[in-house]
Amino acid sequence: MQSAGFLLLCVPLISLLCESSKTPTGEFPESVTARSCRELLKKYGHKKDGLYYLRSKDNEVYQTYCDMSTNGGGWTLVASVHENNIHGSCTVGDRWTSQQGSSSYHPAGDGSWSNKVLFGTAEAATNDDYKNPGYYDIKAKDIAVWHVHNDNELEFWKVASVLRYHTNSNFLTPFGGNLYHFFKKYHLQYGIGTCNDRGISVPIVYDIGSDMRVNELYGESVRADFDTGYVTFRVFNNYQEAYAMCSGVRPKGCYAQYYCIGGGGYFPNTFCSDFAYLNANNGATNGYGASKEIINAAVFIFYR
Amino acid sequence: MQSAGFLLLCVPLISLLCESSKTPTGEFPESVTARSCRELLKKYGHKKDGLYYLRSKDNEVYQTYCDMSTNGGGWTLVASVHENNIHGSCTVGDRWTSQQGSSSYHPAGDGSWSNKVLFGTAEAATNDDYKNPGYYDIKAKDIAVWHVHNDNELEFWKVASVLRYHTNSNFLTPFGGNLYHFFKKYHLQYGIGTCNDRGISVPIVYDIGSDMRVNELYGESVRADFDTGYVTFRVFNNYQEAYAMCSGVRPKGCYAQYYCIGGGGYFPNTFCSDFAYLNANNGATNGYGASKEIINAAVFIFYR
Amino acid sequence: MQSAGFLLLCVPLISLLCESSKTPTGEFPESVTARSCRELLKKYGHKKDGLYYLRSKDNEVYQTYCDMSTNGGGWTLVASVHENNIHGSCTVGDRWTSQQGSSSYHPAGDGSWSNKVLFGTAEAATNDDYKNPGYYDIKAKDIAVWHVHNDNELEFWKVASVLRYHTNSNFLTPFGGNLYHFFKKYHLQYGIGTCNDRGISVPIVYDIGSDMRVNELYGESVRADFDTGYVTFRVFNNYQEAYAMCSGVRPKGCYAQYYCIGGGGYFPNTFCSDFAYLNANNGATNGYGASKEIINAAVFIFYR
């Protein structure tokens, strides 16, 4: 009798409680709930660097890398700008500029900085361009940037970076909380701005590297063209060619092509590629252009 | 004693019942079970437009957009034909024709209309080509088509469409239930048909737009070449060039290149691109070709 | 009272036990746990050929095809080398050589054999290149190879293969357990080796085919250049052009371009494509090059 009574009570109860752990049909299972690495750290206590699954507001589920330790942790990898062929002029793989060649008909390029097109995987971020839903979904305040040598495997990313830094001024907040919204407002397109626009420069805190190190990473002839200790978004050179990002520096002059990356789709006077004209001097630092260390490293972008 | 008795009975029972909610190893979790938006609506009562996860017969799990309201709802977005570079002649991104240039060696093109290759994401369907497993997996009766302006974000797709319509004649049933099977039978290839073949024309019901509106969306000189109020699949022009789809119209004449999209891979006499020669008049509607509104909108294809 | 006592005891217990079946936030649901088809077979008893979900050591979850019957079963499909345009010289889709044209500036090509870049899906493996995380994640001893005619649907792969074989000598073990590690060590690049290097040849066991059949699949003029009954990795021809894999054969001479596939990115003296110069004689077998049967079939690579 007792057993029977128990069963009458217990079985429906168990079913109900177990049932409640199921996700309704049509949704991704509930084990993935955090929208950012910051949430994984703060709300769920995950403190280990590595790969996690996240879920965007629109329920896009994706795997990415979380840096859970630098400066308090909670950094989400959202993008990697990787140059697959430094000699290719906006060919296949130049997703952060254009894959259509340098073309006056395609002056805004592929638009990856301001659209929701996705590519690549976290694990291959040193071998290919990478962009996940976090790029446009996460509401962030700051960014971190890592220059990680191509081919480097995930377990060595952190220690083997050529340069690592982050911002801590909440600069993203007024621009909508991420680079997607920033570039929606500040278009990347040939001819719509001039060198004097100067873009948005944000002071950086070095995690690996220094002002001196940044100078060494670019060519002698170009060092007078910038101040170190900043990251800058959306600038134009003296030919009105548009660039997305200048890592480690703030332009003073008009030679952005030698030290900025990404951008629009038309570069009639310099060179069209994800890494712009960084290779102008074939990686030698006694003239214009960037060092081999910069040219052969993918640029990782994190949000927090 | 009671407690001990309870535990002896309850614990294995609980384990068993909880266990039953687990999916066997090697399968995607059971929270995604519906094969189409129609099933999500009819069987599970989801009535809200938006993104859901579906599962194909072969257990491919994917996220896509469901229109749960138009004409009874249950429409699954399976594809988007997006023109990324109207001046590029079958270059990167022309997945619905060819990414190999216009080539006599590649007369069937990339074959996306009749193979299982996937690309893009639902969320980026106004910025890139999109094709999910539903395209070949769902057994449908009808299609709906939306022309959604490029860059439009998901929440505005429905209201901001240039043109929206659906069929209601079960036309897909005799062709195997979807466009994949249709095009398996009716090949897209240069030179294997003539303008007189006329393809399969299906009457449409407008959800946004009208016969008059369709006329306005194409150039004056080309309006005499078609009847409005239809969607047509697989036609040839006077040069035996193959086109996949003519949206809103039924060809009477032989100038399909000016108002049809997608197709084979060789267009020696006109222009090879996902949007064919719609740009012949640069978007002006006082001659041949299509309007800027058509040229700058992605073509979404839904099944039900 | 009894009921109340039961509830006090039972509810927390049930919650605890049910809770234990949940995956911690940030991880993929636990229903996918096996790292290879071999594990699915041996540990979980799955004996049916078909599509399953696997999970890499780094928690990358992917769907692929398992052959659960040939020679004891447990074979995981990790890659497909598919030629999308036999006339395209390292164009879009030549991911196993280069998509940048044949270029002296890009002598190692796209590097897919030795990096973690992913592409394609299992279901479309006869229509497009395919590479999943298993390629670099699984620790395997042997490989199996299937030549499956393009466009063939999954249910016919096994029976409709032109040629099928496997190795059984544990040859992968000393090279790190998979081809990723093999090619990390043995680079594919123009000019870094000679025809005399000969690569790594491994004896094969035929599942469909024979030595005679392999001979028939290549041209008459090239048969003297190899021994049948092997699969060979990383060879160079007389021009120091690098090839990844020679299927069914072991080179004796120096004409690898006619019967090997994949490789580096620079082929100044022959032809740059995923299928090398297999099409030298347009598929006729009365001279150099390979048969139409080989040219029109994707090459599937399995691990066990």
Side-chain angles (χ1 to χ4, degrees), chain A residues 2 18 53 91-92 123 153, chain C residues 2 18 58-59 100 116 180:
Chain A
Q2 261 182 327
C18 288
Y53 280 89
T91 53
V92 177
E123 189 122 26
E153 305 227 8
Chain C
Q2 262 183 326
C18 288
D58 282 342
N59 290 305
Q100 305 287 323
K116 296 188 173 180
Y180 170 77

Side-chain angles (χ1 to χ4, degrees), chain B residues 139-142 169-178 181 304:
Chain B
K139 295 284 175 194
K141 295 176 176 174
D142 285 293
S169 58
N170 294 1
F171 85 98
L172 281 173
T173 305
F175 298 114
N178 55 49
H181 287 111
R304 183 175 72 181

Side-chain angles (χ1 to χ4, degrees), chain C residues 243-255:
Chain C
Y243 298 90
M245 178 178 172
C246 314
S247 181
V249 304
R250 175 176 70 178
K252 289 190 293 193
C254 292
Y255 295 111

